[in-house]
Amino acid sequence: MAGNASEWTSNAFDESAYDFAHDLNPDYVYEAQDNEANVLKRKVIRGGSWKDVGYYLQTSSRTYEYQDTAKCYIGFRCVQTYLGRAKFDDL
């Protein structure tokens, strides 16, 4: 999947987020309203897409895009927290 599409995240983008975010859950969420400054409307983009140079294909690469825009090279990945059955499910 590397290079298919960059991935939207739910995290707001801040250059210094790693300085104040918790190590175990570095989730920094902010939902900007339409009347707020553009700098507050940035969301984190992870990884690279078909249009990027090789450096951005690493999932550790982090950049931003504005939350109210759509681009052909940005997608999202559905995440499921648990695969399988619960411990006491009947067969």
Side-chain angles (χ1 to χ4, degrees):
M1 293 299 291
N4 186 20
S6 299
E7 296 179 16
W8 279 109
T9 67
S10 62
N11 293 337
F13 182 84
D14 189 324
E15 293 87 357
S16 61
Y18 287 134
D19 294 336
F20 61 82
H22 192 275
D23 290 347
L24 295 177
N25 186 12
D27 198 22
Y28 175 56
V29 179
Y30 183 80
E31 293 297 329
Q33 303 302 313
D34 291 337
N35 59 347
E36 293 185 286
N38 281 340
V39 72
L40 298 174
K41 296 178 184 178
R42 299 184 297 183
K43 294 289 185 183
V44 173
I45 304 296
R46 289 258 182 211
S49 70
W50 51 268
K51 72 154 193 72
D52 292 316
V53 296
Y55 169 80
Y56 290 107
L57 295 181
Q58 304 173 63
T59 56
S60 61
S61 67
R62 180 176 173 265
T63 187
Y64 69 89
E65 191 57 65
Y66 294 97
Q67 69 184 20
D68 58 353
T69 62
K71 306 285 188 202
C72 63
Y73 53 86
I74 299 175
F76 64 93
R77 192 173 297 238
C78 296
V79 178
Q80 184 174 348
T81 58
Y82 176 73
L83 290 175
R85 299 173 59 112
K87 185 175 179 178
F88 298 110
D89 277 352
D90 292 332
L91 296 175

